[in-house]
């Protein structure tokens, strides 16, 4: 087999390398898709007990919350906040003393996460008959995702009512304090049944400023 001159050999090899690179790019390009950024979320349903008050009541939270950064414009903050979120919560409390289950539902407005942890708030939109008059109030919940442990959950939850968020700086009886966005105590109550999955995502930077509109 005759050999090619050295200069021509180099040119042929270069052309082959270029062709392989181009053909590889052509194959990869049609299937190339930009990965969507991870969004924070908390999903799941669980029953839990109060560590400081023993009773036969059954309490549970069902949470379906997803981060939606910069989606809720506010006065003087038209872009919204990095902690903006959407979703729902459902609170259930069976009172063994009264033999009745109280439920309430809320609309999630804020979510912030860390590895295995989350804090969220929701505005109550619905309360079952006989329940507390909390429609329109914001409540705070926290979750610790302890993972799976041979069928027994190591998760925990916390919440902003039941005596953990009080105004005590007056001479009158302590009152429940208002809850700001994403405000909740640490997850202090052990889960006894069910569990939650927390997907952590860093808070994103604000979106680029919009060009000025001229009418």
């Amino acid at each position: 087999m005759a050999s090619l001159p050295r200069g021509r050999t180099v040119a042929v090899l270069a052309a082959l390398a270029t062709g392989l690179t181009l053909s590889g790019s052509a194959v990869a390009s049609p299937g190339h898709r930009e990965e969507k950024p991870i969004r924070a979320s908390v999903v799941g349903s669980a029953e839990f007990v109060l560590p400081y008050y023993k009773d036969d009541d059954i309490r549970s939270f069902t949470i379906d919350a997803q981060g939606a950064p910069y989606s809720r414009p506010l006065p003087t903050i038209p872009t919204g906040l990095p902690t903006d979120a959407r979703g729902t919560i459902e609170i259930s409390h069976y009172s063994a003393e009264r033999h009745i289950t109280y439920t309430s539902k809320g609309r999630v407005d804020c979510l912030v996460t860390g590895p295995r942890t989350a804090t969220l708030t929701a505005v109550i939109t619905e309360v079952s008959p006989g329940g507390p008059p909390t429609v329109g109030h914001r409540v705070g919940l926290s979750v610790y995702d302890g993972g799976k442990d041979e069928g027994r959950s190591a998760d925990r939850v916390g919440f902003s009512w039941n005596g953990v968020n009080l105004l005590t700086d007056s001479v009158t009886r302590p009152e429940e304090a208002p809850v700001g966005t994403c405000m909740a105590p640490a997850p202090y109550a052990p889960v006894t049944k069910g569990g939650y999955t927390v997907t952590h995502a860093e808070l994103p930077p604000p979106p680029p400023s919009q060009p000025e509109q001229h009418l």
Side-chain angles (χ1 to χ4, degrees):
M1 181 176 178
S3 60
L4 295 172
R6 178 177 176 81
R8 188 176 177 186
T9 302
V10 173
V12 170
L13 291 174
L16 286 172
T18 303
L20 288 173
T21 302
L22 291 176
S23 63
S25 299
V27 172
S29 294
H32 177 70
R33 294 181 180 178
E34 293 186 3
E35 293 185 2
K36 293 183 179 180
I38 296 176
R39 292 290 175 88
S41 66
V42 183
V43 294
S45 182
E47 297 177 3
F48 58 91
V49 294
L50 300 179
Y52 55 88
Y53 186 77
K54 304 300 180 183
D55 59 19
D56 294 322
D57 290 5
I58 300 174
R59 302 170 175 87
S60 69
F61 295 151
T62 299
I63 303 172
D64 183 7
Q66 301 83 37
Y70 305 105
S71 63
R72 296 176 177 274
L74 295 171
T76 74
I77 312 177
T79 61
L81 301 172
T83 54
D84 287 344
R86 61 172 59 97
T88 58
I89 64 168
E90 184 168 349
I91 302 166
S92 176
H93 179 190
Y94 167 72
S95 171
E97 181 181 356
R98 299 178 183 177
H99 302 289
I100 189 172
T101 297
Y102 301 103
T103 61
S104 57
K105 298 180 180 180
R107 184 183 66 253
V108 174
D109 64 357
C110 189
L111 171 66
V112 62
T113 63
R116 292 195 171 193
T117 63
T119 300
L120 61 128
T121 49
V123 177
I124 298 299
T125 58
E126 182 180 334
V127 177
S128 65
T134 55
V135 171
H137 293 197
R138 178 181 289 109
V139 296
L141 290 79
S142 61
V143 173
Y144 170 70
D145 179 0
K148 295 180 179 179
D149 185 15
E150 297 181 356
R152 183 177 181 276
S153 177
D155 296 359
R156 302 176 71 89
V157 297
F159 49 100
S160 61
W161 60 99
N162 217 36
V164 298
N165 181 41
L166 298 177
L167 294 172
T168 61
D169 55 353
S170 68
V171 295
T172 60
R173 179 177 178 177
E175 297 179 356
E176 189 170 303
V179 175
T181 57
C182 276
M183 300 301 292
Y188 55 84
V191 164
T192 56
K193 182 180 180 181
Y196 303 96
T197 299
V198 174
T199 300
H200 169 56
E202 301 294 346
L203 296 177
S209 58
Q210 298 295 323
E212 186 177 353
Q213 298 293 326
H214 298 281
L215 300 178

